[in-house]
Amino acid sequence: MPLKKYECIDGEFCVTDEIKAAFEKDGFIIAKGLLSQEEIAHVEKALKTGPFEDHTYGVGDGAGKEAHLIMWNHPGVDVTGMVGRCEKVAGTCEKLLGGEVYHYHTKLMKKPAKIGGRHVWHQDYGYWYRYGNLFPNMMTVFIAVDKATKENGCLQVLKGSHKCGRIDHITVDGQQGADMERVEEIAKQLPLEYVELERGDALFFHCNLLHCSSANTSPSRRWAFLCAYNRADNNPVKVHFHPFYTPLEKVPNSAILECQDFTTLDGKWFNDPITDNIPTGRRISQNGQ
């Protein structure tokens, strides 16, 4: 049975009592067409026009492949920054988390056709906890740049698993993976859902939700644009390569299309696999090598 998707109306996304209750019960909600086709094309143009590729790196998946990504810590003033700062993304997170949020980081997750690596079972808070965030008042917005299907490695989630609390994590090649003995027991009691998304759909999910994705062996790439947020009163107590509380200057949803800045990356503070000591991380050149 397909997962329920909540509609955007006239480009706006309203967090109703039903949506808030679903998020608290399941650990996630799906917004259908959070970004319009025009908006997602605008964002894709920015990702291809700006020098983002220079910041691509890969991490191993424990199965001989690599997951490719680009990650930055501050939203900035370009088109991609307008997504991270707009009301229907950041404002929705504030309503779901019950307080002011700040931008923790954004990343473009890239699964190239046929060779894109898997992401092992994990919780984002499984390692964000180690970064000095004392409370799991954090979440991520996963926006499909490409259609996400079982064939190209869409997200899989264990519905309601955010209520299990933080699970111990270990390093699996270049990734942080949850204790699989515990995950397997949880999977016996909670439903596994494949989060198949159309281009522009978005999954809002809690930082303790268990999720993974399979390798992309299909002939189609799978790109996803993810914005992560921390509640303002959960300022980290450790210095890390993600930022402390930084007030987020939100913008109206119209700013995504109104912005014509595709190249200004100043101040984004890109993550680097070498200087940030990301396990087995390696830079990827523009030709993917």
Side-chain angles (χ1 to χ4, degrees):
M1 184 176 182
L3 290 170
K4 181 176 179 60
K5 296 184 179 182
Y6 296 94
E7 298 278 353
C8 290
I9 300 175
D10 297 327
E12 306 290 328
F13 188 68
C14 178
V15 179
T16 63
D17 289 344
E18 178 188 353
I19 289 174
K20 184 72 182 293
F23 181 79
E24 292 175 354
K25 175 177 177 287
D26 299 332
F28 68 91
I29 58 102
I30 299 172
K32 181 178 180 180
L34 184 75
L35 296 192
S36 69
Q37 294 308 295
E38 186 178 7
E39 288 172 332
I40 201 68
H42 200 58
V43 173
E44 185 176 5
K45 178 180 176 181
L47 293 168
K48 290 180 175 179
T49 303
F52 286 92
E53 286 295 329
D54 295 343
H55 300 280
T56 300
Y57 64 92
V59 292
D61 70 352
K65 289 183 168 59
E66 283 187 328
H68 293 179
L69 65 154
I70 307 166
M71 187 185 303
W72 57 96
N73 288 295
H74 295 295
V77 298
D78 68 324
V79 172
T80 66
M82 296 305 107
V83 177
R85 294 165 55 190
C86 75
E87 286 289 346
K88 61 184 174 182
V89 177
T92 296
C93 290
E94 289 188 328
K95 294 179 177 67
L96 293 175
L97 286 178
E100 178 192 356
V101 301
Y102 74 95
H103 180 269
Y104 196 52
H105 60 263
T106 288
K107 54 181 174 268
L108 176 66
M109 306 296 294
K110 303 191 296 181
K111 287 192 178 185
K114 299 183 180 180
I115 62 170
R118 66 174 182 157
H119 288 275
V120 300
W121 280 106
H122 69 282
Q123 302 164 306
D124 291 341
Y125 192 60
Y127 50 97
W128 291 351
Y129 165 89
R130 298 177 185 171
Y131 300 170
N133 299 287
L134 299 182
F135 299 94
N137 295 326
M138 310 175 77
M139 66 179 297
T140 299
V141 187
F142 178 110
I143 303 170
V145 178
D146 298 319
K147 184 175 181 177
T149 65
K150 290 181 181 179
E151 290 72 28
N152 69 10
C154 70
L155 277 191
Q156 301 170 41
V157 303
L158 289 176
K159 193 174 184 178
S161 57
H162 65 304
K163 294 183 178 179
C164 295
R166 182 184 65 85
I167 296 168
D168 288 338
H169 281 58
I170 60 170
T171 299
V172 179
D173 203 343
Q175 302 182 32
Q176 297 297 309
D179 174 0
M180 280 308 299
E181 182 177 352
R182 197 167 188 90
V183 172
E184 288 166 1
E185 290 301 323
I186 292 170
K188 294 176 183 177
Q189 301 194 41
L190 297 177
L192 169 66
E193 302 284 3
Y194 287 85
V195 185
E196 295 191 295
L197 301 174
E198 297 294 329
R199 183 171 157 94
D201 289 353
L203 175 77
F204 290 79
F205 65 97
H206 189 275
C207 65
N208 266 335
L209 184 74
L210 279 164
H211 58 288
C212 74
S213 64
S214 300
N216 180 11
T217 58
S218 81
S220 303
R221 71 171 198 192
R222 197 220 72 180
W223 280 16
F225 188 89
L226 285 74
C227 299
Y229 298 90
N230 190 9
R231 216 167 69 178
D233 59 5
N234 193 35
N235 201 27
V237 296
K238 290 182 180 179
V239 176
H240 198 262
F241 58 73
H242 291 316
F244 287 111
Y245 168 67
T246 308
L248 181 65
E249 184 181 346
K250 288 186 293 180
V251 297
N253 297 326
S254 59
I256 298 174
L257 288 178
E258 289 170 356
C259 182
Q260 296 299 313
D261 188 337
F262 296 98
T263 58
T264 301
L265 304 186
D266 296 349
K268 281 184 175 289
W269 179 9
F270 284 87
N271 288 113
D272 182 278
I274 308 303
T275 59
D276 294 333
N277 296 315
I278 295 171
T280 71
R282 68 180 187 94
R283 296 187 184 94
I284 305 295
S285 69
Q286 292 192 30
N287 65 6
Q289 302 299 316

